[in-house]
Amino acid sequence: MKICLGTVIYKQAVDFLPDLLKSVDNQTDKDFDLLIVNDNYKKDELISAGVLNENGAIADIAPSISGQIRFVDLEPMHCSIASTRINMIRAAKEMGYDLLIVSDADDTFASTRVDRYRKTYEIDKTYAFYYNELVTDTGETVLEDMPEVVDSARIISQSNFIGMSIAAINLNLIDDAFIDSLSEGDCPVFDWYFYTRLLMDVGAGHLVTGAATIYRIHENNQVGTTHDVQQEYSVKLTHYKNLAKRYPYFGHLYDDLKALDINKIDTSQSHKGYWWSNIIMEDSYEI
């Protein structure tokens, strides 16, 4: 079984890089590779950040792990948020990994994260993805009432609790054609699009306990704790429009959302524990 922990690094998050690498190095399970995808660092900046040594080779940034450090350089491609993640998934698939555990560059995670994912995957390899808890640095739960299994896209159709930094992808269940098709979801909420596509086309997801991601909320983190109804309305219109290219169900949601008067939206029924949960519509459509 080949596991890699993958992350996309970008220089806007350079201050968080040491903490991320410390989380990697602190894993109790050492038998995994680290896949680093460079979004926009230049070579001299990577040297300054300690990712490369003076000769341009990968530095010893996670000395305790027994696996390799793999590096994919996207600079100077200036990729979108979606494109960087698609490139990470594609690279991990081409390198022959079974499981890609993902972490955002500005987050950290429990020392048992790789260990818990390995054990859960080995018990049942039929899930398309796996996901873990999200907590603050004080241990407060960010996403409440996460189910043990997600087996329908309807569960995350109007609010979401699955993001790249709290999940892992079973690469054996997706192919190149699926990865190529993900470019249709090139938008700021790619994570939501991606896991919806997995649920629609590939299979279910399973919760992994004891593997928490530690969420760092800051001004550049788009979802954060925002409760901006106008922003959510705009995000969801784009999200549904992208998915409606393939699935009529999301076309219905798009039409219903577009018909709403957002000035009259009642947010009292929001699922406050999930992202994008202020606007919840009635849904009786077949998925």
Side-chain angles (χ1 to χ4, degrees), residues 127-195:
Y127 288 97
F129 63 96
Y130 305 81
Y131 55 97
N132 60 259
E133 308 100 327
L134 185 65
V135 301
T136 66
D137 57 4
T138 60
E140 182 181 356
T141 298
V142 177
L143 299 170
E144 302 168 1
D145 303 323
M146 296 174 77
E148 184 175 353
V149 172
V150 179
D151 57 6
S152 170
R154 190 188 301 275
I155 298 172
I156 61 168
S157 64
Q158 297 199 60
S159 60
N160 185 38
F161 58 88
I162 307 170
M164 281 292 179
S165 195
I166 68 165
I169 306 159
N170 186 347
L171 297 171
N172 292 319
L173 297 187
I174 61 175
D175 58 22
D176 292 341
F178 178 83
I179 296 171
D180 290 343
S181 75
L182 295 173
S183 60
E184 295 174 13
D186 196 342
C187 64
V189 288
F190 174 75
D191 296 18
W192 195 5
Y193 173 86
F194 173 68
Y195 289 103

Side-chain angles (χ1 to χ4, degrees), residues 184-185 193 196-197 200 236-256:
E184 295 174 13
Y193 173 86
T196 301
R197 286 285 313 276
M200 293 296 292
K236 282 184 170 175
L237 282 177
T238 301
H239 180 59
Y240 293 154
K241 187 175 183 179
N242 280 335
L243 290 165
K245 297 171 186 176
R246 290 177 172 268
Y247 317 111
Y249 169 75
F250 289 98
H252 294 310
L253 292 182
Y254 175 85
D255 291 339
D256 288 352

Side-chain angles (χ1 to χ4, degrees), residues 6-241:
T7 189
V8 176
I9 60 170
Y10 51 97
K11 57 188 177 184
Q12 294 90 333
V14 65
D15 292 341
F16 307 132
L17 186 57
D19 288 342
L20 171 67
L21 295 177
K22 184 177 179 180
S23 276
V24 174
D25 205 37
N26 284 345
Q27 291 301 293
T28 57
D29 183 332
K30 306 293 185 181
D31 186 20
F32 66 95
D33 291 353
L34 174 61
L35 172 61
I36 297 176
V37 177
N38 173 37
D39 179 11
N40 60 2
Y41 282 93
K42 292 180 171 31
K43 183 178 179 180
D44 61 329
E45 293 168 332
L46 287 167
I47 293 172
S48 297
V51 176
L52 301 182
N53 61 31
E54 293 295 333
N55 297 321
I58 295 293
D60 193 11
I61 53 179
S64 78
I65 69 172
S66 61
Q68 301 179 65
I69 298 174
R70 315 290 292 268
F71 187 77
V72 176
D73 194 3
L74 302 182
E75 207 282 329
M77 291 171 60
H78 303 298
C79 293
S80 65
I81 291 172
S83 216
T84 59
R85 284 150 177 77
I86 294 168
N87 274 287
M88 177 177 60
I89 295 166
R90 180 179 288 111
K93 176 73 175 176
E94 289 175 351
M95 292 174 184
Y97 293 106
D98 300 298
L99 191 67
L100 167 62
I101 305 172
V102 184
S103 178
D104 285 343
D106 53 355
D107 289 334
T108 57
F109 38 90
S111 61
T112 53
R113 190 170 186 227
V114 172
D115 174 71
R116 294 300 303 147
Y117 269 96
R118 181 189 299 278
K119 288 174 179 174
T120 304
Y121 178 80
E122 287 177 340
I123 289 170
D124 193 339
K125 301 180 176 68
T126 63
Y127 288 97
F129 63 96
Y130 305 81
Y131 55 97
N132 60 259
E133 308 100 327
L134 185 65
V135 301
T136 66
D137 57 4
T138 60
E140 182 181 356
T141 298
V142 177
L143 299 170
E144 302 168 1
D145 303 323
M146 296 174 77
E148 184 175 353
V149 172
V150 179
D151 57 6
S152 170
R154 190 188 301 275
I155 298 172
I156 61 168
S157 64
Q158 297 199 60
S159 60
N160 185 38
F161 58 88
I162 307 170
M164 281 292 179
S165 195
I166 68 165
I169 306 159
N170 186 347
L171 297 171
N172 292 319
L173 297 187
I174 61 175
D175 58 22
D176 292 341
F178 178 83
I179 296 171
D180 290 343
S181 75
L182 295 173
S183 60
E184 295 174 13
D186 196 342
C187 64
V189 288
F190 174 75
D191 296 18
W192 195 5
Y193 173 86
F194 173 68
Y195 289 103
T196 301
R197 286 285 313 276
L198 281 179
L199 285 164
M200 293 296 292
D201 294 349
V202 184
H206 194 286
L207 178 66
V208 177
T209 58
T213 296
I214 302 167
Y215 195 41
R216 196 191 303 268
I217 298 174
H218 54 88
E219 62 181 5
N220 292 323
N221 190 326
Q222 180 179 334
V223 291
T225 55
T226 182
H227 295 288
D228 185 326
V229 174
Q230 178 61 62
Q231 182 190 26
E232 181 172 328
Y233 179 76
S234 176
V235 163
K236 282 184 170 175
L237 282 177
T238 301
H239 180 59
Y240 293 154
K241 187 175 183 179

